[in-house]
Amino acid sequence: VTRPRAPLALVAPAVAAVALVLLPLAYLLIRTIGGGTDALRVLERSGTLELVLRTGLLVAAVVAGACAVGLPLAWLVTRTDLPGRRTFGVLAPLPLVIPSYVAALALLGAFGPRGLVQRVLEAPFGVERLPEIYGFFGAWLALTLSTYPYVFLLAAATLRSLDPTLEEAARGLGHGRWAVFRRVTLPTLRPSLAAASLLVALYALSDFGAVSLMQYDALTRSIYLQYRSLFDRTPAAVLALVLVALTIALLVLEARTRRGASVRAGIRPAARAPLGRWRYPALAFCVAAVGLFLAVPLVVLVYWSARALPLGHGISFAWEPALSSVLVSAIAAAVAVLAVLPVAFTARRHKSAWTAWLERLAYTGNALPGIVIALSLVFFAANYAGFVYQTLALLVFAYVVRFFPQALAPVGAALESVNPRLEEAARGLGRGPLAVLATVTGPLISPGLLAGAALVFLNAMKELPATLLLRPIGFETLATEIWRYTALGSYSRAAPPALLLILVSAPFVYVLATRRGSTAASPG
Amino acid sequence: VGKLVVLGTAIALAAAACGGNGDGASGDPLTVYSGREQELVEPLLNRFEQETGIELEVRYGDSAELAATIAEEGDNSPADVFFAQDPGSLGAVEQAGHLAVLPDSIVNRVDARFRDPDRHWVGTSGRVRVVAYNTDELSADELPDSVLDYADPGWKGKIGFPPTNASFQAFVSAMILELGEERTRDWLERIKANEPKLYERNSQVLEAVAAGEVEVGFVNHYYLFLLKEEQPDAPVANDYLPGEDPGALVSVAGAGVIDGTDQEDEARQFVEFLLSDAGQRFYVDQAEEAEYPLVAGIEPKAGLPPLSELQGPQLELDDLGPQLERTLELLNEVGFTT
């Protein structure tokens, strides 16, 4: 199908949005070029290749872990007669709201040496040491906790809306249940799994909290160390560009995975598969996953909060920072969804090689750690836009830049699932483009808009590095409250704001978890 | 979608409105970038406001990240004062040319070893490198007199420290300046052979010592007091190393005035206050974490050995910064960091 060229009124805002998202990249290039030949030396260091390999290994393992946890959970909750499936459907994605630095601290509190678990096991079983959690394993565990909800949410949304007739036909042709899953269901899930894996991989690439607390040397940790110890911004910029290169490799890989896949939404829900004798093993799997990734961190946080009581400083909840967090995150979510719309329309309604790359470019900064994005905006705003520097507007802008793909992915996917013929028919009946958007496309893609807004909101709620440097002075969020106390090792005072963050964010995850989703969610 | 557009416009206007205030008001507040934790210094800063009537706006953050921020802001930095955790961050801002020279009357309040010889920054409180040890596992007389002796194989599996922490790296830099690179490398390699446990933060090292996960930890002295706030019965104590041992480095948190500030008088007043009797007594009477006052005649909190008894390596704190690159390479080569 040939499509008309994209109108300028659409392309201009799309290009402008992507250009703004690429500001951190421009900053990195300025710093790298400014560093001259020093920049090349960083690449030649033997440690750099090792860092890339270690980072790649972690990212691959986290993607595998997130799929191994998220996909079975999604299938069990949406397509089987699992007991308590509604409850699991709500609980399973909740770890999404736990910031990874909190997740890492809580996992250390539980499974670290002399942590809660070991102390519980010590008396009855004489357990003196648990397996080592520091290093690769701990970083993998904490990041899997933070990311499997992406796989769960996208896979569950697809499974809910999948046309059941194909699977029924395959059953009718004599295939067993496993064969149907492998040969019919899984291929239709491929686009959403690829999209979820991309978001998971970018999250794992950019995360600093988990890898630093678990003492695993990854690229982000190295970038932070360069900033923290050497005050030389060139090596950090070069390493950050290496992250960007890895991101581009991932984008190409993801586009290949998706090629040729198409998914059709069903008109009626699929029948639930009876689990039979697998009922209890399946239930045990769900309990174990939700227990490990949700209950354990919550128990640790409650335990830390309670530790404050005998110390006499009580448990106080920071309601004002909570309100600030919600406010600024909600604004960022709304702005992000508006900003991704022209990009999504350009790429999905006027498909060509360059529009596909426009959409992909919007993802390239997503693997950058928060400190890089923060310092790049410090540089541009302080020197070229002083009137916005350290205002709420800049903080919102930083969130939009940092979490642009989180909004773009679901909105793009939602657009993909709406047949353009519907829009063409409405145009043919004499409606203008904006009227079509408001009355036809808008309502149809509203689940995608909602999902994008919710993802940006949740990520903005837990964002720390950019918040610290760019917020207006005195503007406290829940994330800065948590930081304020964890920096001192005062977990009894860091835990209540962390619990509050989870509590306030949870309803938004509920919105995400219950949507009947669109299918493919990815660039290209 | 229509609603979204309306909402977005409203929000943009609201955000613009929020952005508009703050500047231009009469009697501009003094802007402090503080790498020192809010929990620790807020009462001190409140007191400054009360005593001088000068309003403060304080941006709290990590010292090194704030130093990088000042460097990126260049001549457009809103900061008037930089109040930092360590000489390294102050030195970096100084090197980038963003710190003004302080008057003698201010910097002379502290001993020459606690300030920048070029008067760009001055130490405001002292912190001492110690060996924190688990009192259930060890008694004070089992501990060696030099940090060098922890390279002994008898300490295998018993040591913890944070290799990426600025204070730890300053200690290694001091060792290089004192003993030379070869002996430092040798020590690091033998420590490495002792299979130490590595942590991200000093507070985590203290917790590990308290839990018996390791028996000794290389940290700053005041983390003990923070831990005791949280776990009053924790079996941990500090061992202060005698003499000029590199493991006994005395370092400072300090402050400097940002070059080009339009409120130089107020900014100087701020640094002056930090070194006034009231500002120094804060570390004795109020602070949770028991740092050392640096002005002569003010004794530290009970239970701390007096500063005059602590020597540590005799060097300029300002020389530690330039050494850092070599230190990081060394830590990297030995395999403590990547």
Side-chain angles (χ1 to χ4, degrees), chain A residues 112-340:
Chain A
R114 298 285 170 112
L116 279 186
V117 173
Q118 194 246 328
R119 270 186 275 167
V120 168
L121 296 178
E122 191 166 27
F125 306 106
V127 175
E128 292 202 343
R129 271 215 179 280
L130 291 172
E132 182 71 43
I133 188 167
Y134 285 103
F136 179 85
F137 178 69
W140 172 79
L141 197 65
L143 285 172
T144 301
L145 180 157
S146 305
T147 54
Y148 86 82
Y150 285 108
V151 177
F152 175 87
L153 288 169
L154 270 72
T158 307
L159 283 168
R160 257 189 226 112
S161 54
L162 209 60
D163 188 350
T165 52
L166 274 177
E167 290 174 329
E168 284 160 14
R171 290 293 303 229
L173 291 168
H175 282 297
R177 202 181 295 149
W178 171 240
V180 172
F181 181 78
R182 197 167 49 85
R183 299 176 65 171
V184 180
T185 318
L186 206 52
T188 51
L189 275 175
R190 216 171 60 186
S192 44
L193 280 183
S197 299
L198 180 67
L199 289 177
V200 169
L202 292 175
Y203 191 105
L205 272 178
S206 70
D207 179 77
F208 168 70
V211 292
S212 67
L213 288 166
M214 293 295 186
Q215 294 285 300
Y216 183 76
D217 268 318
L219 269 167
T220 43
R221 185 157 175 249
S222 206
I223 291 168
Y224 266 83
L225 288 183
Q226 297 284 346
Y227 278 124
R228 287 205 177 151
S229 329
L230 272 189
F231 308 102
D232 179 358
R233 288 159 290 163
T234 304
V238 175
L239 289 177
L241 283 176
V242 172
L243 266 181
V244 173
L246 285 177
T247 310
I248 292 171
L250 278 173
L251 288 168
V252 171
L253 194 71
E254 194 261 0
R256 293 215 168 159
T257 314
R258 267 167 31 84
R259 190 170 297 160
S262 73
V263 189
R264 203 164 290 150
I267 44 169
R268 63 186 165 83
R272 292 186 177 274
L275 284 168
R277 65 197 165 90
W278 289 103
R279 194 179 159 91
Y280 290 105
L283 189 62
F285 172 77
C286 295
V287 170
V290 170
L292 176 62
F293 293 127
L294 183 64
V296 165
L298 285 180
V299 166
V300 172
L301 289 175
V302 170
Y303 169 76
W304 279 340
S305 303
R307 211 160 69 177
L309 294 176
L311 297 176
H313 50 73
I315 303 175
S316 57
F317 287 101
W319 295 106
E320 202 178 315
L323 193 66
S324 300
S325 282
V326 170
L327 182 78
V328 72
S329 304
I331 296 173
V335 175
V337 166
L338 286 175
V340 301

Side-chain angles (χ1 to χ4, degrees), chain B residues 233-254:
Chain B
D233 304 324
V236 192
N238 278 343
D239 183 41
Y240 293 83
L241 297 162
E244 299 190 0
D245 194 82
L249 176 70
V250 182
S251 185
V252 299

Side-chain angles (χ1 to χ4, degrees), chain A residues 9-37:
Chain A
L10 185 61
V11 171
V15 170
V18 173
L20 287 175
V21 170
L22 292 181
L23 274 180
L25 243 79
Y27 162 82
L28 291 176
L29 289 173
I30 291 171
R31 285 282 161 267
T32 303
I33 293 165
T37 49

